Amino acid sequence: MTKSSAMPEQHEINLHPLGVIHTPYRQKFAIPRQPNLVDAALGEIVFDKEFSDPNMLRGIEQFSHLWLLFQFHKTVEQGWSPMVRPPRLGGNKKQGVLATRSTFRPNGIGMSVVKYDSIQHKNGRLSLLVKGVDLLDGTPIIDIKPYVPWADSIPGATGGFADEPPSTMPVYFETQCANQLKHWQNLYPQLTALIKQVLAQDPRPAYKAKQDSDEEYGMSLFDLNIRWRVNQRANYVTSIIHNAQRKDC
Ligand code: SAH
């Protein structure tokens, strides 16, 4: 039987994620917009039982960086639009979705280059540790491939509206949160670097970043609620408390 060219075949693809990644990012707000902007963000990919054969990872330690392909599982059900407003354009100019790295895309697939860290194999469960992630905690990982510098890095490539890395802001800790930081740092050794690198990216929505207000912002990293204010293009961390201690939640 010949197929009609007027009736394109619809393909359904069933994917079985390899497992999920655990990261410090418990909410979408404040996750950096691309990987490696925050190298203190450690991710642990925990493989499902059927993908827990360590042979699958044999030789991977020879690569400094890896590609992660994943599903934007928190936004995939909201569907997609042909045009989106990238934050890099101030959130008010539209681009074609395929000309952006927006999460609201057909099939909701994301890709990030991250730094290889180590492999763990405990109690029959295999995990792969990586650094510099921009993924939400619990994101399903569809595939992992080595980053191949000669093929994947293109000198002289142009980056359209996102040609330069985003500018960063200094981060200071107010004296009243010094003890809180010391306390939580014991539990999360990368905490100070993580807070500094995340806030340096200025996670505020584009329209807020244009205003100079005394508003206090809050974000979740691990189980912690971190609050800060912005003054004259600098961030001041005001408190670091456990989420369970928050009165307003
Ligand atoms: N490097 C990826 C991601 C770019 S978009 C790519 O280019 O495909 C980055 C944003 O994805 C982050 O700011 C975060 O808010 C969002 N994100 C990360 N993990 C997600 C998930 N599991 N579901 C929905 N959104 C997610």
Side-chain angles (χ1 to χ4, degrees):
M1 206 170 72
T2 51
K3 286 185 188 126
S4 156
S5 57
M7 292 269 285
E9 202 179 325
Q10 289 288 313
H11 291 286
E12 283 263 319
I13 302 173
N14 288 320
L15 298 171
H16 188 153
L18 302 175
V20 296
I21 188 164
H22 293 295
T23 78
Y25 302 121
R26 305 286 160 87
Q27 56 172 200
K28 275 182 58 204
F29 176 59
I31 301 184
R33 300 207 175 105
Q34 283 302 338
N36 299 304
L37 294 169
V38 173
D39 68 8
L42 194 67
E44 181 182 10
I45 300 163
V46 180
F47 291 89
D48 281 359
K49 278 242 157 57
E50 64 188 283
F51 297 117
S52 270
D53 180 349
N55 282 328
M56 287 180 75
L57 297 177
R58 202 181 278 198
I60 207 164
E61 72 288 346
Q62 297 163 42
F63 295 89
S64 63
H65 290 79
L66 304 172
W67 282 107
L68 303 183
L69 298 178
F70 58 90
Q71 188 194 42
F72 290 116
H73 74 305
K74 268 286 138 67
T75 48
V76 74
E77 272 165 19
Q78 293 168 44
W80 61 279
S81 342
M83 301 273 283
V84 296
R85 294 184 169 87
R88 276 305 278 280
L89 290 175
N92 48 24
K93 252 182 98 183
K94 284 189 170 182
Q95 292 271 307
V97 66
L98 301 185
T100 75
R101 301 294 276 264
S102 166
T103 63
F104 299 102
R105 54 199 315 113
N107 298 313
I109 287 178
M111 51 190 270
S112 296
V113 177
V114 294
K115 197 163 187 286
Y116 168 82
D117 184 78
S118 53
I119 295 171
Q120 285 183 2
H121 198 202
K122 279 190 264 170
N123 312 322
R125 264 296 160 100
L126 183 67
S127 65
L128 171 65
L129 281 87
V130 292
K131 280 184 174 156
V133 296
D134 58 346
L135 282 70
L136 197 61
D137 186 40
T139 298
I141 302 296
I142 296 167
D143 203 358
I144 300 166
K145 303 188 190 209
Y147 176 84
V148 179
W150 70 262
D152 294 347
S153 149
I154 318 260
T158 53
F161 62 87
D163 212 21
E164 295 279 323
S167 60
T168 56
M169 278 164 75
V171 179
Y172 305 102
F173 292 89
E174 297 274 19
T175 40
Q176 77 265 19
C177 70
N179 281 340
Q180 295 169 342
L181 184 62
K182 222 169 129 194
H183 172 77
W184 293 114
Q185 180 79 25
N186 289 329
L187 201 60
Y188 305 110
Q190 68 276 49
L191 186 64
T192 306
L194 187 63
I195 295 174
K196 280 190 170 175
Q197 294 173 9
V198 168
L199 293 187
Q201 297 298 320
D202 192 5
R204 294 172 300 165
Y207 75 98
K208 287 274 186 190
K210 283 190 211 115
Q211 306 162 354
D212 209 6
S213 88
D214 206 23
E215 195 173 330
E216 198 177 54
Y217 298 91
M219 65 172 174
S220 279
L221 292 176
F222 306 109
D223 289 331
L224 304 175
N225 181 259
I226 290 123
R227 305 195 73 79
W228 79 98
R229 287 183 202 284
V230 183
N231 190 6
Q232 312 247 347
R233 296 271 324 143
N235 294 305
Y236 297 86
V237 181
T238 51
S239 80
I240 303 164
I241 56 170
H242 197 271
N243 268 329
Q245 292 174 323
R246 278 182 65 192
K247 294 181 206 80
D248 57 339
C249 65

